[in-house]
Amino acid sequence: MITSAQAARLLDRDIQPVYGPEARELLQDQTVLVTGAGGSIGSEIARQALQLGAGCVYFLDQDEYALHSLQLDLYGVGLLDDERFVLCDIRDRHSVDRIFAEAKPSIVYHAAAHKHLPLLERSPAAAVQTNVLGTRTIARACIENGVQRFINISTDKAADPSSVLGMTKRLAELVTSSVAGLGTRVASVRFGNVLGSRGSLFPTLAWQIASGRTVKVTHPDVSRYFMTIPEAAGLVMEASVLASRGETYVLDMGPSIKVLDLIERYVALVGAHDLSIEFTGLRPGEKLHEDLFDPSEVRTDTAHPRIWQVNADQAGSVSPQAIHDLCTDALAGVSPGRLRILLADLVTPVSNVLAPQELTRWAG
């Protein structure tokens, strides 16, 4: 496990979240619902919402063990007899509707997603069902239940996407922007790799080093943007203050860092010796270097020095019928190859704009 001090040295910057008064005012006494609350980012968003004075936080996840671990971490008990800990699949519209009606959240942070790139390349249907259909379900529930703000957690892989993960998360951004202007202030927040998150580079690296295993890296020149979990969640809180009409916000993560350089820094920190590295080659859908913006996107500044904005109209849009058809195909068992083609077609810039009045058409 990477300590905060180690993370700060690895990234060579201050990683502690700093909140403005607006974030505290936004969260104060509010009812907050976090999807994917058992995950690394979702749990930290929930934790910071409590620190900022949220009146009540609902923790929603489909992983019961993750909910048990979260309750144990936050409250020292793991009985799961607290109604705020909710077991639910975000693709289940009827369960989501019931939970929103009962919880009546005013702010929703949507962190639930499938995120492991190689796995999703082989299972695009699962990616579509969770990242696209699930986001559509949560977005619709926010509109229909009068939620004040809906914040969709995205990824830098949604910029100029080359993978199933990136394409489905890009569509999730477009689904989010499509519900703007319907009474809920909405936005997506895009950021890169998170140090220490479940299944990410450094937990794997630490295990490989401790076990005397060969460290596997895709390419000697591969680079990524990195943040810590508290740093990313803190900036998500700041971005939620800015949320308005479907913007995509991009967090300043510092310069892109070569993975090999970061590994060498970590090895020096922990005093490891005789490290063996094997280069395995880039996997399908992977980029050598990640992007923060599409070539067609224009970055604009915001009131926050570490948050940039991409306007929804710059990001392009997708017709409601196209989203509906894609989700239907994913549920119907269309072949992985065909589904990847459909995804690639959809994320190509198009001129079909989803009008607000068409929400009921794709609500299904």
Side-chain angles (χ1 to χ4, degrees), residues 59-120:
F59 313 93
L60 187 151
D61 206 290
Q62 65 171 348
D63 184 339
E64 57 184 337
Y65 176 73
L67 289 174
H68 174 271
S69 299
L70 179 61
Q71 188 184 35
L72 197 61
D73 181 53
L74 289 177
Y75 300 110
V77 295
L79 300 177
L80 292 178
D81 55 355
D82 186 327
E83 66 179 9
R84 294 172 299 171
F85 289 83
V86 182
L87 188 66
C88 179
D89 187 331
I90 60 170
R91 300 170 298 184
D92 182 346
R93 174 180 174 178
H94 298 295
S95 293
V96 168
D97 285 345
R98 175 183 56 79
I99 291 161
F100 271 69
E102 293 174 357
K104 296 180 173 58
S106 52
I107 304 173
V108 172
Y109 292 98
H110 177 47
H114 285 322
K115 64 177 186 178
H116 289 283
L117 188 151
L119 191 60
L120 299 185

Side-chain angles (χ1 to χ4, degrees), residues 248-310:
T248 291
Y249 294 106
V250 182
L251 305 185
D252 174 11
M253 295 168 282
S256 182
I257 304 173
K258 286 182 64 173
V259 170
L260 200 57
D261 290 347
L262 208 57
I263 290 173
E264 290 174 352
R265 294 181 201 175
Y266 179 75
V267 168
L269 277 177
V270 300
H273 302 285
D274 302 322
L275 183 69
S276 174
I277 296 178
E278 176 186 345
F279 296 106
T280 59
L282 292 174
R283 297 164 294 188
E286 278 191 316
K287 297 177 181 178
L288 189 61
H289 309 293
E290 292 291 357
D291 305 299
L292 296 181
F293 308 94
D294 275 359
S296 61
E297 291 178 334
V298 178
R299 182 185 79 183
T300 58
D301 293 335
T302 70
H304 195 287
R306 293 192 61 192
I307 302 174
W308 297 304
Q309 176 181 323
V310 175

Side-chain angles (χ1 to χ4, degrees), residues 17-40:
V18 178
Y19 311 110
E22 296 86 357
R24 297 182 183 278
E25 183 178 350
L26 175 67
L27 273 295
Q28 189 69 39
D29 298 325
Q30 297 299 309
T31 298
V32 176
L33 185 147
V34 182
T35 74
S40 303

Side-chain angles (χ1 to χ4, degrees), residues 207-218:
W207 177 84
Q208 289 172 333
I209 291 175
S211 305
R213 304 293 184 99
T214 297
V215 173
K216 298 183 183 294
V217 181
T218 57

Side-chain angles (χ1 to χ4, degrees), residues 165-186:
L165 168 59
M167 289 186 282
T168 54
K169 292 298 283 182
R170 180 53 176 267
L171 288 176
E173 290 182 0
L174 298 181
V175 165
T176 299
S177 67
S178 74
V179 301
L182 297 174
T184 299
R185 299 181 69 164
V186 302

Side-chain angles (χ1 to χ4, degrees), residues 109-344:
Y109 292 98
H110 177 47
H114 285 322
K115 64 177 186 178
H116 289 283
L117 188 151
L119 191 60
L120 299 185
E121 287 298 307
R122 302 196 307 275
S123 306
V128 171
Q129 289 171 35
T130 295
N131 296 352
V132 183
L133 176 59
T135 300
R136 190 181 77 169
T137 301
I138 297 297
R140 180 196 49 75
C142 287
I143 299 302
E144 293 186 353
N145 288 274
V147 171
Q148 295 175 19
R149 292 179 194 242
F150 168 51
I151 310 300
N152 169 53
I153 306 303
S154 190
T155 168
D156 59 359
K157 292 175 177 60
D160 198 16
S162 61
S163 63
V164 168
L165 168 59
M167 289 186 282
T168 54
K169 292 298 283 182
R170 180 53 176 267
L171 288 176
E173 290 182 0
L174 298 181
V175 165
T176 299
S177 67
S178 74
V179 301
L182 297 174
T184 299
R185 299 181 69 164
V186 302
S188 294
V189 181
R190 189 188 289 174
F191 53 89
N193 293 33
V194 181
L195 288 177
S197 63
R198 290 194 309 176
S200 65
L201 169 65
F202 277 93
T204 305
L205 176 66
W207 177 84
Q208 289 172 333
I209 291 175
S211 305
R213 304 293 184 99
T214 297
V215 173
K216 298 183 183 294
V217 181
T218 57
H219 191 283
D221 294 324
V222 68
S223 68
R224 294 290 182 264
Y225 292 95
F226 289 94
M227 304 188 80
T228 65
I229 297 171
E231 184 183 25
L235 285 172
V236 166
M237 294 303 186
E238 290 292 298
S240 62
V241 174
L242 304 173
S244 181
R245 297 185 60 84
E247 307 88 354
T248 291
Y249 294 106
V250 182
L251 305 185
D252 174 11
M253 295 168 282
S256 182
I257 304 173
K258 286 182 64 173
V259 170
L260 200 57
D261 290 347
L262 208 57
I263 290 173
E264 290 174 352
R265 294 181 201 175
Y266 179 75
V267 168
L269 277 177
V270 300
H273 302 285
D274 302 322
L275 183 69
S276 174
I277 296 178
E278 176 186 345
F279 296 106
T280 59
L282 292 174
R283 297 164 294 188
E286 278 191 316
K287 297 177 181 178
L288 189 61
H289 309 293
E290 292 291 357
D291 305 299
L292 296 181
F293 308 94
D294 275 359
S296 61
E297 291 178 334
V298 178
R299 182 185 79 183
T300 58
D301 293 335
T302 70
H304 195 287
R306 293 192 61 192
I307 302 174
W308 297 304
Q309 176 181 323
V310 175
N311 290 327
D313 58 351
Q314 295 170 329
S317 192
V318 177
S319 72
Q321 189 61 51
I323 292 289
H324 175 79
D325 291 346
L326 177 71
C327 294
T328 299
D329 287 339
L331 291 167
V334 169
S335 73
R338 175 60 180 161
L339 208 50
R340 282 192 291 269
I341 291 172
L342 294 173
L343 278 167

